[in-house]
Amino acid sequence: MTKNLTLFDIDTEDIQELLNRHFEDWVAFRQASTSRARHERPLLDESIHVYREMWQAFAAFCAERQLTLPDVTVTDLETFLTIRGSGPDAWRPRQTTRGPDLTARYANRYLVLINKITQFIAKREGIEPNRAALLLRERPEYRFAEAADKDPPPDYLNELQARVLIAYLTRAPQADAGEKFTWKTARDRTAVSLMLGAGLSPGDVRSLKLDGVITEGGRKAGVPWKLAVEGNGNSPARETPIADWAGRQLAFWLRVRAEQGIPGTYVFPATMKGNQWSHSRCFESSREVLENAKLGKDAGGLYKLRHTFALRQLRKGKSEEDVARWLGLLDINGMVRYRRIVISYQDVV
């Protein structure tokens, strides 16, 4: 039976458990929120996954030093950010950094997360909130980290990389090479196809339903040409077009799915029983596709596909309003990241 822990009655070995429980309580609070304010509304599954990984690293750091939230100082946070940037290891995966140090932008996001959860717990427990993260964020390198000129351009596939990936995703099984091709192989390649060819996020892929695949009205009978994607806390319901090659790949996967007799409503089920694909398995399976296509397994690689889709549409002359809607962006200002690349006339497929 789990003990009912508080900030003032705690054993050293329970610190990490308590801090991780704080995170889950904060997530539950956000997911139950009906507020439209960005800092209060429900979180995307992908965001929860990343935040949980970030917070667990912080919880491990605190447990090693016997620190509860009221104990954390500015110096502690500086030490943590230094250690966090010296990875990678099991507790320090650097998903959004380059080089040996954390970027100021990523460090600032860490401080924002720590401050939000600290404030949430303090309010719930009726205690004075720890201001260490807030104070550290006042430093110029963090205060202006989210400024437009500090926002790095999105990673994307250049024309050659995209064509190599498309060729891999759509090729027939290489029987003479002894290539193993199962229904999961077809599923995984098609999921990646929709990230690149329709701008879906991994969360969109996981939640996509069969009735959201639209074939009627397309240029070729039986080939999907757009998708109806369900909304969530941070993204409205929307329709998005599918590239011709990705539509053909989706049609192939749907035939495989039907031949296997897989039940349920999810386009990309986790098992033959039709269960929903988990975040972690979708992420790992999709990254393995990129690795097998010789594009590497670097973190953030899946969102390169979505960014490439957006840039391709903009280069084709589609409006920022249309592309933002297809991506499910609530704020069109998010398109400024792509605008700088398009204006510079860099190559995209």
Side-chain angles (χ1 to χ4, degrees), residues 50 53-54 80-89 92-110 142 152-153 155 298-301 304:
V50 172
E53 194 171 65
M54 292 169 66
F80 170 69
L81 293 176
T82 299
I83 293 174
R84 180 68 170 168
S86 66
D89 64 27
R92 297 192 288 271
R94 297 196 313 272
Q95 290 188 318
T96 57
T97 62
R98 295 179 175 83
D101 301 313
L102 287 179
T103 63
R105 191 166 183 263
Y106 188 48
N108 178 61
R109 289 182 175 180
Y110 237 122
Y142 300 130
D155 288 332
D298 58 317
K304 285 182 181 179

Side-chain angles (χ1 to χ4, degrees), residues 58 68-75 77 111-112 114-120 122 127-139:
F58 178 63
T68 59
L69 289 184
D71 301 325
V72 176
T73 67
V74 169
T75 300
L77 292 177
L111 296 175
V112 169
I114 292 170
N115 183 61
K116 284 181 178 178
I117 297 178
T118 300
Q119 300 292 318
F120 167 75
I127 61 176
E128 188 69 24
N130 186 323
R131 293 174 50 83
L134 199 61
L135 290 172
L136 189 52
R137 284 196 68 222
E138 287 299 308
R139 294 185 181 176

Side-chain angles (χ1 to χ4, degrees), residues 150-166:
K150 298 287 186 180
D151 192 9
D155 288 332
Y156 62 93
L157 301 179
N158 63 35
E159 183 173 358
L160 177 60
Q161 290 173 322
R163 294 192 185 285
V164 167
L165 179 57
I166 291 170

Side-chain angles (χ1 to χ4, degrees), residues 41-309:
R41 65 192 182 204
L43 300 163
L44 292 172
D45 288 345
E46 291 83 6
S47 298
I48 294 172
H49 176 79
V50 172
Y51 290 155
R52 182 179 285 116
E53 194 171 65
M54 292 169 66
W55 183 262
Q56 286 175 349
F58 178 63
F61 169 85
C62 291
E64 290 171 356
R65 291 157 181 77
Q66 302 181 26
L67 298 171
T68 59
L69 289 184
D71 301 325
V72 176
T73 67
V74 169
T75 300
D76 292 325
L77 292 177
E78 290 176 320
T79 301
F80 170 69
L81 293 176
T82 299
I83 293 174
R84 180 68 170 168
S86 66
D89 64 27
W91 288 107
R92 297 192 288 271
R94 297 196 313 272
Q95 290 188 318
T96 57
T97 62
R98 295 179 175 83
D101 301 313
L102 287 179
T103 63
R105 191 166 183 263
Y106 188 48
N108 178 61
R109 289 182 175 180
Y110 237 122
L111 296 175
V112 169
L113 177 65
I114 292 170
N115 183 61
K116 284 181 178 178
I117 297 178
T118 300
Q119 300 292 318
F120 167 75
I121 296 301
K123 183 176 180 180
R124 188 185 68 178
E125 306 243 347
I127 61 176
E128 188 69 24
N130 186 323
R131 293 174 50 83
L134 199 61
L135 290 172
L136 189 52
R137 284 196 68 222
E138 287 299 308
R139 294 185 181 176
E141 63 267 34
Y142 300 130
R143 186 192 310 174
F144 304 112
E146 298 291 339
D149 61 343
K150 298 287 186 180
D151 192 9
D155 288 332
Y156 62 93
L157 301 179
N158 63 35
E159 183 173 358
L160 177 60
Q161 290 173 322
R163 294 192 185 285
V164 167
L165 179 57
I166 291 170
Y168 175 78
L169 295 173
T170 57
R171 76 178 186 181
Q174 307 296 303
D176 57 343
E179 182 179 18
K180 184 178 180 181
F181 196 91
T182 67
W183 70 269
K184 287 188 176 181
T185 304
R187 178 200 63 185
D188 298 348
R189 290 187 184 181
T190 307
V192 171
S193 295
L194 295 190
M195 294 178 196
L196 177 60
L200 299 193
S201 69
D204 294 331
V205 164
R206 292 178 55 244
S207 62
L208 186 64
K209 301 291 182 61
L210 290 171
D211 60 8
V213 178
I214 301 171
T215 58
E216 185 176 352
R219 287 185 289 184
K220 186 174 181 180
V223 176
W225 65 283
K226 69 177 178 178
L227 301 172
V229 182
E230 296 181 350
N232 55 53
N234 282 355
S235 179
R238 69 189 193 277
E239 290 186 349
T240 185
I242 313 173
D244 290 343
W245 66 268
R248 292 193 297 271
Q249 179 66 21
L250 178 55
F252 167 70
W253 158 243
L254 292 177
R255 289 196 299 273
V256 171
R257 189 186 186 287
E259 290 169 359
Q260 294 293 321
I262 300 175
T265 61
Y266 292 108
V267 172
F268 301 106
T271 68
M272 292 284 288
K273 295 181 179 179
N275 310 85
Q276 186 177 20
W277 217 356
S278 71
H279 173 90
S280 59
R281 290 306 305 151
C282 174
F283 186 75
E284 289 301 326
S285 297
S286 300
R287 287 206 308 171
E288 188 173 346
V289 171
L290 297 186
E291 185 175 36
N292 291 338
K294 311 303 182 186
L295 292 179
K297 198 175 180 180
D298 58 317
L302 298 187
Y303 277 87
K304 285 182 181 179
L305 308 179
R306 178 172 161 90
H307 297 323
T308 304
F309 168 83

